């Protein structure tokens, strides 16, 4: 089954509280040909992506270090992957060095409902960080995670361990597959979609995952990077 990537998010999203059919591994596409081909696409795609975007990543590294001299350009953070397995995810640093220390002060300003934290005018975000986030350039180092096998090009976004404690049974379905750099959430409104809406989109992807759907999402991701749709 092909996913409708054009249908508005509000029409796609359903109330998770009324969902009764919880997916199990027996319900999803785990066929060896599919998984091997998906992995092949991940390896080839991430390798090509790292090569093609290397000038952009070099520029981003220069700008980050120029804005805050002596600061690391790469931000490494533990995320939760398939089956609840933790791994280290890489991003370009878009916030001040001590951003995590100030998180508690901002939690009451969260603009996203559910187990996720986002605010539009986050004071921790640097000047260059705003551009990196708007264009999703900050996500490019995750191509290395894909090459390593921690992530896939397409899949649910990996959550934080502190978010996982708030997951209910429905939300836990996101951990049935390998997390991805992009997915239905990123191409369907991103931060304009609340957490439960994101989970709905993730479950829809997992339920109907095919190579064709992955390819469609990858191409639409490129368009979203050129013309952002809710990233901040």
């Amino acid at each position: 089954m092909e996913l409708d990537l054009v249908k508005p998010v509000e029409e796609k999203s359903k109330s998770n509280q009324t969902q009764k059919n919880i997916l199990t591994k027996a319900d999803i596409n785990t066929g060896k040909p599919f998984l091997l081909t998906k992995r092949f696409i991940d390896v080839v795609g991430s390798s090509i992506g790292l090569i093609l975007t290397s000038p952009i990543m070099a520029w981003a590294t220069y700008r980050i270090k120029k804005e805050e001299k002596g600061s690391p350009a790469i931000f490494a953070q533990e995320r939760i992957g398939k089956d609840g397995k933790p791994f280290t995810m890489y991003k370009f640093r878009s916030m001040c060095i001590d951003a995590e220390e100030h998180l508690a002060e901002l939690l009451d300003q969260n603009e996203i409902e559910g187990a996720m934290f986002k605010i539009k005018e986050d004071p921790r975000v640097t000047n260059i960080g705003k551009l990196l986030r708007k264009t999703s350039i900050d996500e490019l180092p995750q191509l290395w995670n894909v090459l390593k096998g921690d992530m896939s090009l397409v899949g649910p976004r990996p959550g934080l361990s502190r978010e996982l404690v708030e997951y209910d049974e429905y939300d836990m379905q996101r951990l049935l597959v390998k997390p991805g750099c992009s997915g239905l959430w990123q191409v369907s409104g991103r931060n304009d979609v609340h957490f439960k809406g994101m989970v709905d989109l993730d479950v829809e992807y997992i339920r109907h995952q095919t190579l064709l759907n992955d390819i469609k999402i990858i191409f639409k991701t490129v368009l979203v990077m050129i013309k952002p749709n809710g990233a901040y």
Side-chain angles (χ1 to χ4, degrees):
M1 176 179 178
E2 293 185 16
L3 298 177
D4 185 352
L5 302 183
V6 180
K7 188 185 296 183
V9 171
E10 55 268 27
E11 293 181 21
K12 286 182 175 182
S13 184
K14 302 175 182 178
S15 173
N16 292 336
Q17 302 302 319
T18 61
Q19 287 283 351
K20 296 181 180 180
N21 298 322
I22 301 297
L23 293 175
T24 66
K25 288 186 178 181
D27 300 316
I28 63 178
N29 191 349
T30 56
K32 196 169 184 179
F34 168 75
L35 294 178
L36 287 175
T37 306
K38 184 175 173 67
R39 179 59 185 155
F40 174 78
I41 293 175
D42 283 344
V43 171
V44 174
S46 60
S47 298
I48 294 175
L50 285 168
I51 294 171
L52 293 181
T53 62
S54 57
I56 298 175
M57 290 195 282
W59 170 82
T61 299
Y62 168 74
R63 287 297 305 273
I64 293 169
K65 287 183 171 293
K66 182 180 179 182
E67 184 164 336
E68 290 192 342
K69 293 182 179 180
S71 63
I74 299 295
F75 175 65
Q77 186 179 52
E78 182 180 276
R79 294 291 181 115
I80 306 301
K82 182 181 177 183
D83 299 326
K85 181 181 178 181
F87 70 96
T88 300
M89 189 186 79
Y90 303 103
K91 298 181 68 174
F92 277 122
R93 191 173 59 78
S94 59
M95 293 185 174
C96 56
I97 297 178
D98 57 351
E100 290 298 304
E101 298 174 19
H102 296 287
L103 177 61
E105 306 166 11
L106 303 169
L107 289 177
D108 61 343
Q109 300 178 43
N110 191 13
E111 298 173 6
I112 301 290
E113 295 180 16
M116 188 165 60
F117 175 80
K118 286 280 185 180
I119 54 176
K120 227 168 197 179
E121 299 299 327
D122 195 322
R124 302 172 300 164
V125 178
T126 62
N127 290 328
I128 183 59
K130 293 176 183 177
L131 176 61
L132 297 180
R133 286 174 165 233
K134 188 71 175 177
T135 56
S136 296
I137 290 175
D138 63 320
E139 311 280 3
L140 290 179
Q142 288 160 43
L143 290 172
W144 176 245
N145 285 115
V146 175
L147 190 60
K148 286 175 58 184
D150 299 323
M151 297 174 64
S152 177
L153 289 174
V154 180
R157 288 299 296 159
L160 296 160
S161 56
R162 68 168 181 265
E163 297 170 345
L164 201 65
V165 299
E166 299 182 43
Y167 281 17
D168 56 25
E169 186 181 14
Y170 186 83
D171 303 335
M172 291 295 286
Q173 295 176 99
R174 304 181 71 241
L175 306 181
L176 286 171
V177 298
K178 194 178 291 187
C181 292
S182 186
L184 280 181
W185 174 59
Q186 284 86 341
V187 300
S188 301
R190 199 166 176 171
N191 293 323
D192 294 331
V193 182
H194 56 74
F195 176 73
K196 288 298 184 182
M198 180 185 73
V199 177
D200 282 341
L201 292 171
D202 287 339
V203 172
E204 181 179 351
Y205 166 75
I206 294 170
R207 190 185 300 275
H208 305 298
Q209 62 175 338
T210 64
L211 296 175
L212 178 59
N213 286 333
D214 278 12
I215 292 172
K216 289 169 65 176
I217 291 172
I218 290 171
F219 276 105
K220 190 156 188 180
T221 299
V222 175
L223 296 178
V224 168
M225 290 183 71
I226 297 172
K227 187 177 181 182
N229 68 341
Y232 56 81

